[in-house]
C-alpha cells in the first residue's frame, strides 16, 4: 500500500509541477505579446528611416525635372507623393511639342488654384486660371 500511495502522491506532485510550468509558460507568452522585442522596434525604425531617405532622394530628383518632360505616370507620381503643384514654367511645351498640331494633355494635381499658360510657335500665349477641387476634372482648350 505504501508503494501505491507513494506513487499516487508522486503523480499528484508531478501534475502540480506540470500545471505550474504551463501557467508560467502562458504568463511568459502573454508578457512577450504585450512587449514587442526591442530588435523588432529597431528594425521598424531602421526601415522607416530608409523609406524617408528614399522619398527625399526621389523628391530631389523630380525637383530637377520639368513636369512637361515627364510622362503621365511620372506626373501622377510627383503630384501624389511629392505634393508638387504644376506651375506655369513646368507646363510650357517644348519645341517638339509645339510643332504638333493638336494634343491632349492629362495632368493630375492636388486641389488648389493654378495658372496654366500655353504658347504657340509664333510666341502667342494664352493663360487659363483654374481652381481645382478634390476629385474634380477640368477640361481646358487653348486656341492659339
Amino acid at each position: 500500500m505504501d508503494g501505491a500511495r507513494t506513487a499516487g502522491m508522486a503523480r499528484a506532485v508531478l501534475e502540480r509541477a506540470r500545471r505550474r510550468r504551463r501557467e508560467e509558460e502562458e504568463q511568459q507568452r502573454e508578457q512577450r505579446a504585450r512587449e514587442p522585442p526591442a530588435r523588432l522596434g529597431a528594425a521598424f525604425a531602421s526601415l522607416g528611416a530608409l523609406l524617408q531617405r528614399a522619398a527625399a532622394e526621389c523628391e530631389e530628383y523630380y525637383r530637377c525635372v520639368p513636369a512637361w518632360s515627364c510622362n503621365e505616370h511620372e506626373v501622377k507620381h510627383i503630384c501624389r507623393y511629392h505634393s508638387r503643384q504644376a506651375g506655369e514654367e513646368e507646363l510650357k511645351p517644348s519645341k517638339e511639342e509645339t510643332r504638333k498640331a493638336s494634343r491632349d494633355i492629362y495632368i493630375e494635381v492636388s486641389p488648389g488654384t493654378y495658372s496654366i499658360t500655353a504658347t504657340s510657335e509664333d510666341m502667342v500665349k494664352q493663360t487659363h486660371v483654374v481652381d481645382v477641387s478634390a476629385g474634380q476634372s477640368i477640361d481646358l482648350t487653348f486656341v492659339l
Side-chain angles (χ1 to χ4, degrees):
M1 261 226 352
D2 278 338
R5 192 170 172 190
T6 304
M9 287 176 56
R11 270 183 256 180
V13 169
L14 182 59
E15 279 302 313
R16 279 195 304 255
R18 287 180 181 163
R19 197 173 330 128
R20 281 190 198 133
R21 184 175 176 194
R22 282 194 299 263
E23 289 171 359
E24 288 174 1
E25 288 173 351
E26 182 62 30
Q27 287 175 352
Q28 288 175 353
R29 276 195 293 270
E30 288 174 5
Q31 181 68 24
R32 279 184 292 217
R34 278 186 254 128
E35 297 175 13
R39 291 187 320 182
L40 183 61
F44 277 114
S46 176
L47 184 58
L50 287 172
L51 289 173
Q52 281 182 325
R53 184 172 174 204
E57 292 288 332
C58 184
E59 187 170 3
E60 184 65 30
Y61 169 77
Y62 279 115
R63 274 198 185 123
C64 301
V65 178
W68 58 262
S69 70
C70 296
N71 67 34
E72 182 179 341
H73 298 291
E74 289 174 312
V75 171
K76 283 182 181 180
H77 171 86
I78 292 167
C79 294
R80 181 173 293 141
Y81 297 109
H82 303 300
S83 300
R84 183 165 121 191
Q85 296 181 344
E88 190 174 308
E89 286 298 312
E90 296 173 20
L91 295 176
K92 280 186 182 176
S94 67
K95 291 179 182 177
E96 288 178 13
E97 290 173 329
T98 58
R99 292 185 187 130
K100 296 177 183 172
S102 176
R103 183 168 174 197
D104 289 339
I105 299 173
Y106 171 80
I107 299 174
E108 186 176 323
V109 296
S110 300
T113 302
Y114 298 89
S115 174
I116 297 97
T117 300
T119 307
S120 68
E121 285 183 42
D122 54 349
M123 301 309 291
V124 175
K125 290 184 177 183
Q126 186 177 4
T127 301
H128 290 283
V129 177
V130 295
D131 187 27
V132 181
S133 302
Q136 183 181 19
S137 177
I138 297 177
D139 292 325
L140 298 176
T141 302
F142 294 88
V143 181
L144 301 171

